[in-house]
Amino acid sequence: RPTLIRSLSIEAVPMAVLISVGHSEHSITTTAEMTKLLAMAGSSLVIEAETTIAGVCDRLNKALVFVVGATGCSTSRVLGDYVVDATEHALREISLGDEAAYRLTDFPLTAEVLRTAEPRTVSFADGDVDPAEAFILRDLGMNALMMLPIMVRGRAWGLVELYEMRLRRFGQDDLAVAQFLVAQAQQRLELAVGAGDALRRPRVYEL
């Protein structure tokens, strides 16, 4: 049976939280699921309160690290044939590298995520890792990665990359939580994208 978290829609999460809190005797979630639902609902409200691109992306990064339980998260913008670092958040004393632009032709798995609008996960725990993504993971000292597209007005506007230092795999529940929060951010970005949306391209990251 799918877990409650995995099967919830965007609209259902706040309602599920209210029902579970107000009628605990009818709760169908475990304590861990309830805690995660509350964290998701709270993070959703915080993202919804933001009105700028930088604010939405910053809140999204922090929410994903906190709710999923990861080491760090970065949000990049799609700029032609490049993805360009925009905002990031990581645990204390953890670096996600200097600001850079990445050629999509150098990272076929990233390009596939943006082209198909489908998330992908990568982990050294699986053994067989895309060489370009493996290079980045080793460069950052990470062991696992989740990539999700940010779709705004029907196009790939950006990329979310969630990193983990521990040797683990991001599971289906992790993916469901991340997709929910990214969907919330997409709704806000639909309103925020427009004036003042120009982005410069920093140095290009060379493999």
Side-chain angles (χ1 to χ4, degrees):
R1 181 181 63 84
T3 66
L4 177 62
I5 291 173
R6 193 179 306 171
S7 61
L8 281 174
S9 66
I10 292 173
E11 295 79 5
V13 171
M15 183 58 68
V17 171
L18 291 174
I19 292 172
S20 297
V21 171
H23 303 84
S24 58
E25 67 273 20
H26 301 301
S27 175
I28 60 172
T29 66
T30 65
T31 301
E33 287 176 330
M34 189 68 252
T35 300
K36 183 156 288 191
L37 283 170
L38 287 168
M40 289 168 65
S43 296
S44 172
L45 293 174
V46 170
I47 291 171
E48 186 178 353
E50 294 293 337
T51 59
T52 66
I53 292 172
V56 171
C57 293
D58 182 61
R59 290 293 187 180
L60 175 62
N61 292 338
K62 292 176 179 176
L64 286 169
V65 170
F66 174 68
V67 181
V68 176
T71 302
C73 184
S74 68
T75 299
S76 303
R77 295 281 308 279
V78 176
L79 187 62
D81 296 327
Y82 296 83
V83 287
V84 179
D85 288 336
T87 62
E88 65 180 47
H89 173 72
L91 301 180
R92 186 176 299 177
E93 298 180 358
I94 299 296
S95 172
L96 296 182
D98 297 329
E99 183 184 35
Y102 302 82
R103 294 186 188 91
L104 286 171
T105 53
D106 290 339
F107 298 90
L109 194 60
T110 299
E112 180 183 330
V113 169
L114 296 173
R115 184 180 66 256
T116 63
E118 293 293 335
R120 294 292 297 268
T121 60
V122 173
S123 174
F124 283 130
D126 295 327
D128 185 20
V129 177
D130 176 87
E133 303 301 341
F135 186 92
I136 292 290
L137 287 173
R138 292 192 182 98
D139 191 36
L140 297 178
M142 301 293 171
N143 278 299
L145 166 68
M146 180 194 298
M147 293 186 286
L148 304 100
I150 299 177
M151 306 299 294
V152 176
R153 299 174 185 172
R155 65 182 179 89
W157 179 89
L159 177 75
V160 172
E161 295 169 288
L162 191 60
Y163 292 97
E164 179 56 69
M165 292 184 69
R166 295 169 295 175
L167 188 60
R168 62 170 283 195
R169 299 177 181 88
F170 287 113
Q172 287 301 311
D173 282 349
D174 298 323
L175 183 58
V177 170
Q179 287 179 303
F180 167 80
L181 292 173
V182 168
Q184 297 298 95
Q186 286 175 162
Q187 291 181 1
R188 298 308 298 163
L189 290 170
E190 289 278 354
L191 302 176
V193 169
D197 195 25
L199 186 70
R200 68 176 183 84
R201 194 185 78 190
R203 70 173 182 85
V204 176
Y205 185 96
E206 301 290 352
L207 288 177

